[in-house]
Every structure is written in C-alpha cells, then in structure tokens.
Amino acid sequence: MNKQFLVLFTLLLLPALMLSGCSGPASSLEALVSGAALARADTVAAAPAAVPTTSSATAAPAAAQPVSSVVQPAASAAQPAPSAGTLLDVLEAVLGQIYDRVTPSVVNIQVVQGAAALPSAIPEMPGLPSDPSLPEGPFRQEGLGSGFVWDKEGHIVTNNHVVAGAEEITVTFYDDTTIPGEVVGTDPHSDLAVIKVDLPASQLYPVQVADSTQVRAGQLAVAIGNPFGLEGTMTVGFISALGRSLPVASGTALGPSYTIPDIIQTDAPINPGNSGGVLVDDQGQVIGVPTAIESPVRANAGIGFAVPSVIVQKVVPALIKDGHYEHPWLGVSGTSLTAKLAEAMDLNAGQRGVLVSEVIEGGPADKAGLQGSDRQVKLNDIDIQVGGDVIVAIDDQPVLEFDDLVTYLIRSTNAGQTVTLTILRDGAQGGSEETVQVTLTARPQQEERQQTQAQPGNVPVGGAWLGIRGMTVIPEVAEAMDLDSDQQGVLVTEVVQDSPANEAGLLGGQESIDINGQSVQVGGDIIVAADDQPVAGMEDLLAFLQGSAPDQEVTLTLVRDGQEVTADVTLGERPSSMP
C-alpha cells in the first residue's frame, strides 16, 4: 500500500462564500451501457427531455425514472454496437440524472467559530504550523463546508472538522431554504458529525447509501458539494484506489492519535469546501464522504480522499442516538512486519503480520496476555524494537499489515465484542502459533489517554511542537536534490521562525521547482530518523511527535547536502495562536 503522502489538507473552506446541495438514487450507468444493444444516437438524444430537470434553485427533486425512460434497448441483439456519440449521450444522461436527484440532498453549512476552535486548512499534525495567513489574536471567523440529508427527522451528516468548535451553524438547502443547525453528535476519530435542523419531512430528501466494501478501483465516482463556496458543484472521475489510511485531526493541541482506515481515493476533483459532501456511484448512492486532499497547493491535484460509507453507516446512527460513537479498541501499537524485521526475529523472510511493539497497560490486549517488543536490533544502523507477538489473523481473517487489523476492527467489531487473535510468539526457535481471546473495549477518550500516559515512567502524548512545514520525499524531489530515487524521509520545506526546529538549525527549502505543474520548495533538510527511529514519511514523523512531550530533547538524523548529520532539538509546546 502506497502511503507516501504529501501534505493532507482538510476541505473546510475559510473564509465563507456560499454553498448548497446533494443525493438520491439514479439509473445505473452499467444498466444503460450493458450489452451491445443500445439505442441509436437519435433515440438517446431525446433522453434529456425524459430526465427530470431540477437543477434550478426552486425545482422539486424528481421521482426516479425507470431505465427504459432514458434509453430503450434495441429489439435485436444483432444491432450494431453503439457509436462513441451514443455512449457519450448515455453518459451525459446518467450524469444529469445523478445531479438532479442527488443535489436536493446536499446542503451548504456555514459556521462561525472562535479563534480557539478555528481549524486550519491542514489536518492537525503535531509539529506543523497552522496557516500563516490567518490573523493572530482573538477573532471570529466564518467557514464553509458541505453536508447531506440523512433522514426525514432533519439529521444532516458532515465532517467533524467542519463544525468543530462552531458557535453558530447555518444550513442552506438547494432551494435556498436557510435554517439554523445544531450539533447532536461528533466523532473526531472518523471525522464525522451530525447536526439537526427543524424542517418538515416533506422538505427533506435523504440520501441512499451504498455498500463501500463492494466498490472497486476504476468505477465511476461523482462528487457533489460546495468547493470554494460554489454551491451544487458536481465533479466526475473514478475510484483511484481503496484501502488508504488517513491521519485523524483531534481538534486539540494533542493532535491526531489514530488513523481512519478503508479510505477511498478518487481523482474526481475535490477542493476546499467539499468537506462533508458526498461521493456517489453511478446509481447516485453515497459511497463516501469527501474529507481530505493530497496537494502541496491546497487545491485539487487529482488525489482526494473520502471516508467510506461502511464507516458512515456504523458511526452516524450512534451519533444520532448517543451523541458519540464507541470505537472498538485493542490496546496495542505496532507495525507491519517486513522481510528484514521477520529475519531479525528468526522468522521466514516471507512472513507477514503485525508486530506488536507496545501493549497499553490495562488495555484489552494487556488483559489478554499479549506481549510487546522486548529487545532492540540494528537495521541499517537504526535501532528497531523486535521480539513482540506477531498478529497473523483476527477471527480467522488474514492480517498481512497493520491496516488490515485496523480495517477489520472498524468494519466488523464493536466495543464489548470478543475476538480471536492468531499470533506467533518467540519466533521460529521453539515458538508456535497460538490463539488469544481478547474482549475489546471502547477506545479511550483523549483526556483519559493523557492521564494514563502521564503517570510516572510514561511519556505524555502529543503537544510536542517541532515547527516545520514538510512533505514526504517522492522520487521527483529526490531526483531534484541529486539523491537516490528511493530516498525516504520528510523534506523540510519551511522552518517556522523562533520554533524548536529554527533554534536547532534545521534548514528549509532553498529552491522552488515545478512538479506536475505545482511549485515545491526543495533543498532543505530531509528528516530520516528521530531518536534512531526511522522516519520514512510524514506519518512516521507524526507518530513520533505524537508520542513526545514539550521540553523533551530528541535527536533528528538528517540528510543535508547529500550527507547524513544529526541535530539535537528540544521540542516545544504548540503556540496558543495555533489550533
């Protein structure tokens, strides 16, 4: 799985402009183009007349039309294959239906937030500064995002980062109906939230939700939301990849603690303001909620990420009922077992699984007797923790890498459920495959984790600030800096003035280059390790800083001008002006 992220930007648009609408079923593109017998171009050309036109601000959403009303199949299978023009007309008819039927379900969410709660355009990654263009000091700021109607009771689903810390919420529908909204539940760990509006059921058009586990790469993907405040905008692309993971912004100075698994990647253009809208399939059914993009320029670069509907369907009902969702928690930290790690543990180089590096004291795994890493080995001159249990299956489902474990937990388990872990213990020398029963609990709240990890002998989590902007090194960057194309690490593109990184002498980018039409600052230091822990990319640096504390001194291993050097940095506390 490719996790070489650049900088991930949440899609909340600041400041406000205006926005609106989305959802509902539409005729399947597959049904329209299946088989060789399709209507001729002149038949399809008349289709738009049969397609309801509700794109105007005051039109009511149309009832679903049967496929036959859009295109009539020919009587004989011997009819010639459709022309390119015919297929284009069919595609346009389907997209028109999707837009007309989904847009009434999508809403514009306008929020007013205070300075303490205002999110930046960048997910809250410890060590990264917020948007320097935002003014410092007390102020109130408006922001825009998207949402969609969940049910006839007035529940609206959006992203947590859209409404986090909101003092006022205004919801605008496709027909310009504007009404106050109230938050009824939030879940930062999945970046989902539910707000409620008081409208008659006759004015509410809930979405239909598809099963995202059935989505495949290459399928049509349609995003509808309010990018840059442009209400009711539809963009079209394909599912680019599945099974990505996304760091979660916690909304506090402690930063993200977990990742959202099972993320859908799409090339359907997604921009700031799309947050909380919909990603739908060719039937107009929701398969995901656009949440973040990967781009060095804070706008669409062809890589967008959506929280999958399988997570939405588990989390949203709980937010409506209880105001929160209890994520199942195993209580371990670990890493995917690589060939070198396997060999270091006297396992077959082809062995895969999750190496348990730490078992959280008092957690479910601890109570079940799982064992964390107990010794260090040197790999590429870096100390690596090994010796812990290796999880190779959960409930008889193979676990090849860490994301497999996280995905199974979120898809298939609930707090209080007992799961069976298949583990390898003590390596190949006298070791054996064992099974362990673990009863999952609810994931601890951030405050509980702080108190637990602040006990003597433990290092408090999060809050540590490095003071850089950076990106995962990609081959184009390595080539521009005359490094090996497989160079890994985090390129420091900018060092914040008076920050810990600045005081330690870290160097930011010195030259701007063009990569795929986007400007990137190169020439700065590349962080390849922190306290001898390898840093392959932004996620590794994030995890390290998350487990560090203000005033803690750490040693960074850097690649500078092609040479490896070290720098001692005393981490700081995130400035109060930074959310």
Side-chain angles (χ1 to χ4, degrees), residues 2-16:
N2 183 2
K3 296 182 181 175
Q4 291 196 347
F5 289 103
L6 296 177
V7 181
L8 288 170
F9 295 94
T10 52
L11 307 176
L12 177 62
L13 177 59
L14 297 165

Side-chain angles (χ1 to χ4, degrees), residues 20-86:
S20 170
C22 139
S23 181
S27 299
S28 166
L29 177 63
E30 180 180 357
L32 289 177
V33 300
S34 62
L38 292 175
R40 301 302 299 163
D42 56 352
T43 304
V44 181
V51 177
T53 54
T54 61
S55 56
S56 66
T58 58
Q65 297 294 320
V67 172
S68 59
S69 70
V70 181
V71 54
Q72 295 291 342
S76 171
Q79 183 171 342
S83 67
T86 302

Side-chain angles (χ1 to χ4, degrees), residues 272-527:
N274 273 111
S275 275
V278 295
L279 187 71
V280 300
D281 60 16
D282 66 333
Q283 298 183 37
Q285 297 181 336
V286 176
I287 55 177
V289 179
T291 297
I293 58 177
E294 182 174 320
S295 171
V297 293
R298 307 188 182 207
N300 174 59
I303 301 178
F305 301 102
V307 176
S309 63
V310 68
I311 293 180
V312 177
Q313 287 178 300
K314 290 194 71 173
V315 173
V316 168
L319 297 184
I320 293 172
K321 180 176 181 290
D322 303 318
H324 66 278
Y325 176 73
E326 293 187 338
H327 288 261
W329 187 56
L330 183 58
V332 301
S333 60
T335 186
S336 299
L337 192 68
T338 63
K340 290 185 177 180
L341 278 176
E343 290 177 341
M345 293 181 61
D346 295 326
L347 294 169
N348 187 297
Q351 180 65 57
R352 293 294 178 265
V354 170
L355 171 60
V356 178
S357 57
E358 180 185 3
V359 176
I360 308 302
E361 184 177 356
D366 184 37
K367 294 177 181 178
L370 260 68
Q371 299 176 8
S373 298
D374 56 7
R375 65 183 187 277
Q376 287 186 337
V377 298
K378 276 194 177 294
L379 292 178
N380 299 326
D381 294 325
I382 295 178
D383 291 326
I384 302 294
Q385 293 286 333
V386 297
D389 290 335
V390 177
I391 302 172
V392 296
I394 178 170
D395 289 342
D396 294 326
Q397 298 299 309
V399 172
L400 301 180
E401 55 184 48
F402 195 82
D403 280 353
D404 293 339
L405 180 62
V406 178
T407 297
Y408 183 85
L409 289 172
I410 190 66
R411 274 191 185 184
S412 306
T413 69
N414 296 292
Q417 181 176 333
T418 298
V419 298
T420 300
L421 299 180
T422 304
I423 64 171
L424 298 176
R425 178 167 290 175
D426 300 327
Q429 297 180 349
S432 61
E433 190 175 277
E434 304 178 19
T435 58
V436 178
Q437 302 289 313
V438 183
T439 299
L440 305 172
T441 62
R443 185 180 291 175
Q445 297 299 311
Q446 189 71 51
E447 294 77 9
E448 296 174 10
R449 294 175 63 250
Q450 280 182 260
Q451 295 170 4
T452 299
Q453 300 196 10
Q455 297 301 315
N458 293 316
V459 178
V461 168
W465 183 55
L466 179 58
I468 67 165
R469 290 188 188 274
M471 60 176 284
T472 297
V473 175
I474 58 176
E476 291 87 347
V477 167
E479 181 180 350
M481 295 179 63
D482 295 324
L483 300 171
D484 292 339
S485 60
D486 60 355
Q487 174 70 56
Q488 294 186 318
V490 171
L491 170 66
V492 179
T493 59
E494 180 184 346
V495 177
V496 179
Q497 188 174 0
D498 298 327
S499 68
N502 182 231
E503 293 177 2
L506 267 68
L507 302 178
Q510 304 157 17
E511 177 188 359
S512 179
I513 65 170
D514 184 85
I515 297 179
N516 297 326
Q518 313 219 19
S519 178
V520 177
Q521 290 292 119
V522 299
D525 291 333
I526 296 177
I527 303 172

Side-chain angles (χ1 to χ4, degrees), residues 111-282:
V111 298
V112 177
Q113 298 164 309
L118 183 65
S120 72
I122 304 176
E124 297 305 316
M125 295 183 176
L128 295 179
S130 63
D131 188 341
S133 66
L134 295 178
E136 296 186 5
F139 64 96
R140 283 160 60 86
Q141 178 77 26
E142 290 186 345
L144 292 178
S146 304
F148 56 91
V149 179
W150 182 259
D151 57 28
K152 289 284 189 177
E153 282 69 52
H155 293 110
I156 308 290
V157 177
T158 186
N159 281 139
N160 177 72
H161 74 259
V162 170
V163 298
E167 298 176 359
E168 299 175 16
I169 300 175
T170 302
V171 180
T172 302
F173 287 76
Y174 77 106
D175 59 359
D176 290 335
T177 296
T178 301
I179 190 169
E182 179 182 358
V183 175
V184 298
T186 62
D187 181 44
H189 292 167
S190 63
D191 198 17
L192 293 172
V194 175
I195 61 179
K196 193 173 189 299
V197 297
D198 186 12
L199 273 183
S202 60
Q203 293 181 244
L204 297 168
Y205 303 98
V207 299
Q208 289 196 3
V209 183
D211 180 2
S212 61
T213 65
Q214 302 304 307
V215 172
R216 296 293 179 265
Q219 288 184 207
L220 185 74
V222 178
I224 301 181
N226 306 282
F228 299 110
L230 299 172
E231 59 188 42
T233 296
M234 178 175 77
T235 55
V236 181
F238 298 93
I239 301 300
S240 304
L242 301 167
R244 301 301 195 201
S245 60
L246 192 67
V248 182
S250 68
T252 71
L254 294 173
S257 302
Y258 300 96
T259 58
I260 307 174
D262 226 11
I263 290 291
I264 297 171
Q265 179 183 331
T266 180
D267 68 349
I270 293 174
N271 286 288
N274 273 111
S275 275
V278 295
L279 187 71
V280 300
D281 60 16
D282 66 333

